Amino acid sequence: MMGRFAFEVSQLSYLERRVAAALFANPPEATLDDALNHFILADEYAPFIWLENKLFIVKTLKLMKRNQKDIIAHLREANSVRDKLTDEVSDRRDGGNIMLRVFVTLCVLWVVSGRTLDKYHIDELLASGKNGAYEAAENLKKELGDQENPELLWRLAKVEHEIRKYEKKESKQEKLQKKALEYAERALALEDSNPEIHKWYAVALGGMTDFVSIKQKLKIAHTFEKEIRRALELNPNDWELHYLLGRFLFGTSQIGWFERKLATAIFGAPPTGTVEGAIDEFLVAERLSDGTELINKVFLAKAYLENDNYKSAVKVAKEGLLLEPKSYDETHGLQELEKIMKSYHKYA
């Protein structure tokens, strides 16, 4: 029960948390880590009995983006419990055996697929490379058809943004990036309370900076930060949002005198990003992801180097080199970590 309570509290939206704070002097607080600890403890007491508990272990691990092998192991245990339960009612002739199998299988599929359209295995397809990315796009477009579905649209924005990275011609890249932005804009017009929509609108918009003037880049940067911070209000426990904010702060800390003057003329003040601020966000992303996201380690190591903290940079680089790349960016990020180790290995 405590696990379910912690799980539900951890998933409260920004608005729900504000309401709870207004109603209670000490509103409930819990994280996915808290929920997982309770689920694991319950599983130790009854490892082959409580199916629902196993399903929530898998669900929690997926939300925390833990190691896929751990998720599969718990899922196999859930299937074993399912088989045990169905065997116990196999002597019944009222159809209970069939109904139980159908119910349990649907529960397992719900956990595996996650929310809404994750049954298309978007992240898995993107991790498999260019062909997988195009397959993901095709699946989503078929499902979308003529409808305006924000859950499909933000996923299409994500996929088109990733596909663009595999194209060599700049004209093709720009076309794909514009398409990604179009999908994200349509999703945002339909729903304003989904952090994933704000996230991928920001990312799609940020991808356009490769094709516009300096003045337009600064305008995009302003909107990018606003959208990422809005997404963080809605979901402060998303490691990727903290990583993206860290990228923004790190990038703006590097802009030159001319860009700062231009930004001041446009917005009244230049961007205020610092390397220290970027490191803080990358460290939050490390904590929320349990240090399993290679791309975050790449930029944390680079930020440490910028601050002349070579020992920490090498430590993070070594950790990153132990991880398997799951995307185009992470594959190239491995090369950057190898360069850091080669240049600064004496600080290991």
Side-chain angles (χ1 to χ4, degrees):
M1 293 298 291
M2 286 300 297
R4 282 295 303 275
F5 173 77
F7 181 88
E8 296 300 334
V9 170
S10 73
Q11 299 305 294
L12 291 176
S13 68
Y14 170 75
L15 178 60
E16 289 167 332
R17 291 177 188 276
R18 292 293 297 272
V19 171
L23 292 175
F24 307 105
N26 296 300
E29 293 185 3
T31 66
L32 286 172
D33 279 319
D34 297 328
L36 184 61
N37 288 337
H38 286 298
F39 291 141
I40 297 278
L41 187 60
D43 195 56
E44 289 175 355
Y45 281 108
F48 297 105
I49 298 175
W50 195 4
L51 175 63
E52 183 185 21
N53 189 68
K54 289 192 179 293
L55 295 178
F56 271 93
I57 289 177
V58 176
K59 186 70 172 177
T60 305
L61 289 171
K62 280 181 65 64
L63 287 172
M64 296 172 75
K65 299 187 177 180
R66 288 291 184 87
N67 188 292
Q68 192 72 14
K69 290 182 179 179
D70 292 338
I71 295 173
I72 293 172
H74 282 286
L75 186 57
R76 284 174 176 165
E77 289 183 8
N79 276 313
S80 296
V81 174
R82 178 199 64 184
D83 293 339
K84 183 177 184 294
L85 287 171
T86 52
D87 288 342
E88 289 176 358
V89 295
S90 61
D91 58 340
R92 297 182 183 179
R93 298 181 179 179
D94 59 358
N97 185 28
I98 296 174
M99 291 305 296
L100 180 59
R101 283 187 180 274
V102 171
F103 171 73
V104 173
T105 301
L106 286 174
C107 286
V108 172
L109 286 174
W110 167 71
V111 172
V112 174
S113 65
R115 296 177 180 176
T116 60
L117 300 172
D118 290 337
K119 64 183 179 181
Y120 290 110
H121 308 293
I122 301 304
D123 289 333
E124 290 88 342
L125 287 170
L126 290 177
S128 68
K130 182 177 180 179
N131 291 337
Y134 273 100
E135 181 182 343
E138 183 179 352
N139 292 342
L140 289 169
K141 287 174 183 177
K142 284 181 180 179
E143 180 70 18
L144 182 65
D146 296 327
Q147 63 180 313
E148 285 292 278
N149 183 324
E151 292 292 335
L152 281 163
L153 288 167
W154 75 253
R155 285 170 168 80
L156 273 166
K158 175 179 179 176
V159 171
E160 294 285 344
H161 173 77
E162 293 300 317
I163 288 175
R164 166 258 169 113
K165 298 171 185 177
Y166 293 102
E167 297 298 333
K168 302 298 183 184
K169 292 184 178 180
E170 185 174 321
S171 59
K172 181 66 172 178
Q173 291 179 4
E174 184 176 6
K175 182 179 179 180
L176 288 165
Q177 196 63 49
K178 284 181 176 178
K179 195 64 180 176
L181 182 57
E182 178 197 325
Y183 284 131
E185 288 173 337
R186 286 162 60 186
L188 191 60
L190 293 166
E191 186 176 348
D192 184 54
S193 59
N194 186 331
E196 293 293 330
I197 293 176
H198 287 279
K199 179 203 296 186
W200 289 102
Y201 171 64
V203 172
L205 184 62
M208 290 301 300
T209 56
D210 292 332
F211 313 106
V212 297
S213 66
I214 293 177
K215 183 177 180 179
Q216 288 175 306
K217 286 179 181 180
L218 291 170
K219 289 183 177 180
I220 287 174
H222 181 75
T223 304
F224 179 93
E225 180 184 18
K226 182 182 73 173
E227 292 297 321
I228 292 298
R229 292 192 183 277
R230 169 59 177 154
L232 277 168
E233 288 179 355
L234 296 168
N235 184 10
N237 295 319
D238 183 345
W239 75 267
E240 195 169 25
L241 288 171
H242 289 279
Y243 156 73
L244 289 169
L245 182 56
R247 285 283 304 270
F248 171 82
L249 296 173
F250 185 66
T252 55
S253 73
Q254 308 295 301
I255 67 173
W257 177 85
F258 175 74
E259 289 87 350
R260 290 185 181 276
K261 284 289 187 181
L262 188 58
T264 301
I266 297 172
F267 303 111
T272 56
T274 65
V275 177
E276 292 77 14
I279 290 174
D280 288 343
E281 292 298 329
F282 293 141
L283 288 174
V284 173
E286 281 288 288
R287 176 175 59 81
L288 291 173
S289 66
D290 290 323
T292 61
E293 299 299 334
L294 194 156
I295 194 64
N296 190 67
K297 290 188 183 293
V298 171
F299 279 90
L300 177 56
K302 291 169 71 171
Y304 276 138
L305 284 182
E306 190 66 26
N307 253 13
D308 298 330
N309 189 345
Y310 305 125
K311 189 173 182 179
S312 293
V314 169
K315 178 178 180 294
V316 172
K318 286 177 67 177
E319 294 171 353
L321 288 171
L322 297 175
L323 299 174
E324 289 292 326
K326 304 186 295 293
S327 67
Y328 177 94
D329 288 338
E330 289 193 340
T331 299
H332 287 265
L334 274 179
Q335 298 172 10
E336 295 190 62
L337 294 181
E338 288 169 353
K339 290 178 182 178
I340 290 173
M341 289 301 300
K342 185 177 180 180
S343 300
Y344 299 94
H345 62 89
K346 66 180 180 181
Y347 294 95

